Amino acid sequence: MRSGAGLAVTGLGVVCALGESVEPFAAGLLAGSSAITELPADSGGPRYGAPLAGFSLADAVAARTGLPDGIRRTATRVASRSPRPVQVALAAALEAWESACLHENRIPAHRIALVVAGHNLTSRHSHELAARFHASPAYVPPRFALQMLDTDHVGTLSHVLGVTGEGFTVGGASASGNVAIIAGSRLVESGAADACLVVGALAELSPVGLRALGNLGAMAWDVASVPFDESHAGFVAGEGAACLVLESAASARHRAVAVHALLTGYAQRLDANSLANPAEEGEVTVMVNALQRAGRKPREVGYVNAHGTGSPLGDRTEIRALRRVFGGQGQGPWVNSTKALVGHCLSAAGVVEAVATVVQLRDGFLHPNTGLRRPPSPGCRFVGQHAEQVRAGLALSNGFGFGGFNTCVALAAPGA
């Protein structure tokens, strides 16, 4: 049953190392610009990353000139002392709110929902505050009682935007972004909300978390690892946040707002596995089920935004899954990995990559797989070193996470 065909994407927002709003982000994708860079030698972490450098909440708020002064003043007042991940998530949400014209063609506040993707989002903030605690426990800021909780994102964003519908956080490791998109979709489809802001929040890892991921072999420590290339050695961490506004077709028509894309299907499954290794069967299942929910066939898919982290086992497993779904002759859908350009944005990755998928569908291109020269096996139609001018029509965006999380969302250009 094609139950997801009427869900509209009416708002987009993104803040990451490739661009601090949607249009610079889209331009960077088209150019194949990589935000991955060598980090300072004294950083104590991996050698390469895609950090969000120089972010300023004041500048991000000032850039939203289409929003009412009241929202911008509230954003500055409420979030000026918030941890950086909350500020970055708010910047992405403000752009999406403006993009969806929610400040002009209004939806009642209680009919707007808010879902934030991620967990342990401010672990670096907590780690840094520990030094103050050990020196003088009495001077730990009382507000940390709120800020140590991921729900501080929900509280801050709802306060600034006046959202009074349902709200919560969801986690699914690196699949968290897609888990949030699916949760938001269900709120709108069920009639619990007319629209939902889905926010993938920036996760700032502590030095302990970074080192553990390196020791696990999941994170590349000394090389600029490239997804799907034989040189891959784990993921390169990226910093970013993004936001989608998902809205019922009836609401979008009533408000007469532009529809950037349609969310046509989704699927989520567990592998019954507590470890970090992926499972081919689960990945196949979610791609097939997302297409079934959309009422579409594999041959109709023009593009897959792969999970593609740069993990040797993960990349090879996803290639096998793609070959099972689409055939192994290399003539199926085009495949790329946005992580090659922005790094792995962790729990925000699914939303960042959904925004990347939407702008590629909108603008008729597929971004390069920068650095990919030697795929580990044939059978996938990888985009090369230059963008392809393609009207993909229908796309899948995959997200897989530690602990057996498998997710896939199907996005289509309006009318495709």
Side-chain angles (χ1 to χ4, degrees), residues 238-316:
E239 292 187 329
C243 180
L244 295 179
V245 177
L246 302 177
E247 189 168 352
S248 70
S251 177
R253 285 194 300 270
H254 176 73
R255 296 198 307 119
V257 293
V259 175
H260 300 286
L262 298 173
L263 183 74
T264 61
Y266 52 79
Q268 177 179 339
R269 288 290 185 274
L270 295 173
D271 286 331
N273 178 13
S274 66
L275 302 177
N277 56 303
E280 180 183 333
E281 196 64 38
E283 296 182 8
V284 169
T285 297
V286 291
M287 285 188 274
V288 170
N289 288 359
L291 286 172
Q292 288 177 343
R293 185 175 183 85
R296 308 295 282 266
K297 302 293 185 183
R299 65 176 179 272
E300 297 177 73
V301 178
Y303 163 53
V304 177
N305 191 311
H307 184 61
T309 64
S311 156
L313 178 60
D315 287 355
R316 290 190 173 93

Side-chain angles (χ1 to χ4, degrees), residues 112-151:
I112 302 175
L114 172 61
V115 179
V116 174
H119 36 66
N120 307 320
L121 295 169
T122 55
S123 61
R124 187 185 306 171
H125 178 68
S126 300
H127 178 84
E128 291 169 351
L129 197 60
R132 184 186 300 187
F133 169 77
H134 289 300
S136 182
Y139 287 93
V140 170
R143 192 169 179 83
F144 181 66
L146 301 175
Q147 293 173 344
M148 69 181 180
L149 304 174
D150 292 331
T151 48

Side-chain angles (χ1 to χ4, degrees), residues 117-120 169-180 182-183 186 267-287 307-309 314 317-318 321 339 344 346-347 350 397-409:
H119 36 66
N120 307 320
T169 64
V170 296
S174 294
S176 295
N178 274 4
V179 172
I182 293 167
R186 289 172 173 159
Q268 177 179 339
R269 288 290 185 274
L270 295 173
D271 286 331
N273 178 13
S274 66
L275 302 177
N277 56 303
E280 180 183 333
E281 196 64 38
E283 296 182 8
V284 169
T285 297
V286 291
M287 285 188 274
H307 184 61
T309 64
T317 302
E318 188 169 12
K339 294 179 181 72
H344 188 349
L346 303 172
S347 51
S397 184
N398 288 336
F400 311 127
F402 292 171
F405 287 89
N406 301 290
T407 64
C408 179
V409 297

Side-chain angles (χ1 to χ4, degrees), residues 15 25 31 36 135 160 163 194 231 235 267 287 304 308 318 331 349 368 395 400:
V15 179
F25 177 62
I36 294 171
V160 172
V163 171
D194 294 326
S231 66
F235 73 80
M287 285 188 274
V304 177
E318 188 169 12
Q331 295 303 310
F400 311 127

Side-chain angles (χ1 to χ4, degrees), residues 54-413:
F55 172 80
S56 161
L57 177 65
D59 290 345
V61 171
R64 305 272 63 86
T65 56
L67 292 179
D69 289 342
I71 290 180
R72 295 194 292 168
R73 284 195 300 268
T74 302
T76 301
R77 176 173 56 82
V78 171
S80 61
R81 295 187 179 180
S82 293
R84 181 168 168 264
V86 176
Q87 294 185 349
V88 175
L90 176 59
L94 289 171
E95 183 181 20
W97 189 273
E98 183 180 42
S99 171
C101 298
L102 287 168
H103 56 296
E104 296 175 346
N105 305 315
R106 295 178 180 276
I107 297 173
H110 70 281
R111 298 293 302 165
I112 302 175
L114 172 61
V115 179
V116 174
H119 36 66
N120 307 320
L121 295 169
T122 55
S123 61
R124 187 185 306 171
H125 178 68
S126 300
H127 178 84
E128 291 169 351
L129 197 60
R132 184 186 300 187
F133 169 77
H134 289 300
S136 182
Y139 287 93
V140 170
R143 192 169 179 83
F144 181 66
L146 301 175
Q147 293 173 344
M148 69 181 180
L149 304 174
D150 292 331
T151 48
D152 186 45
H153 283 72
V154 178
T156 301
L157 271 61
S158 64
H159 187 162
V160 172
L161 297 170
V163 171
T164 60
E166 294 190 27
F168 46 84
T169 64
V170 296
S174 294
S176 295
N178 274 4
V179 172
I181 291 171
I182 293 167
S185 300
R186 289 172 173 159
L187 287 173
V188 177
E189 289 174 344
S190 71
D194 294 326
C196 181
L197 275 78
V198 178
V199 179
L202 184 153
E204 282 195 321
L205 296 176
S206 71
V208 176
L210 287 169
R211 186 73 258 185
L213 286 165
N215 290 349
L216 181 65
M219 177 185 287
W221 201 257
D222 296 313
V223 298
S225 182
V226 177
F228 296 118
D229 193 81
E230 284 187 353
S231 66
H232 51 191
F235 73 80
V236 174
E239 292 187 329
C243 180
L244 295 179
V245 177
L246 302 177
E247 189 168 352
S248 70
S251 177
R253 285 194 300 270
H254 176 73
R255 296 198 307 119
V257 293
V259 175
H260 300 286
L262 298 173
L263 183 74
T264 61
Y266 52 79
Q268 177 179 339
R269 288 290 185 274
L270 295 173
D271 286 331
N273 178 13
S274 66
L275 302 177
N277 56 303
E280 180 183 333
E281 196 64 38
E283 296 182 8
V284 169
T285 297
V286 291
M287 285 188 274
V288 170
N289 288 359
L291 286 172
Q292 288 177 343
R293 185 175 183 85
R296 308 295 282 266
K297 302 293 185 183
R299 65 176 179 272
E300 297 177 73
V301 178
Y303 163 53
V304 177
N305 191 311
H307 184 61
T309 64
S311 156
L313 178 60
D315 287 355
R316 290 190 173 93
T317 302
E318 188 169 12
I319 286 173
R320 291 196 301 270
L322 289 166
R323 292 176 65 182
R324 283 179 57 185
V325 175
F326 298 107
Q329 302 305 311
Q331 295 303 310
W334 290 98
V335 178
N336 64 20
S337 172
T338 301
K339 294 179 181 72
L341 305 180
V342 303
H344 188 349
C345 294
L346 303 172
S347 51
V351 188
V352 172
E353 290 158 24
V355 172
T357 301
V358 169
V359 299
Q360 289 173 92
L361 291 172
R362 181 196 70 183
D363 296 344
F365 75 92
L366 301 176
H367 74 69
N369 281 298
T370 300
L372 174 58
R373 291 176 173 83
R374 295 177 299 155
S377 67
C380 287
R381 195 182 187 190
F382 289 109
V383 182
Q385 296 299 303
H386 303 284
E388 294 286 343
Q389 300 299 316
V390 174
R391 291 284 175 185
L394 176 66
L396 299 184
S397 184
N398 288 336
F400 311 127
F402 292 171
F405 287 89
N406 301 290
T407 64
C408 179
V409 297
L411 292 154

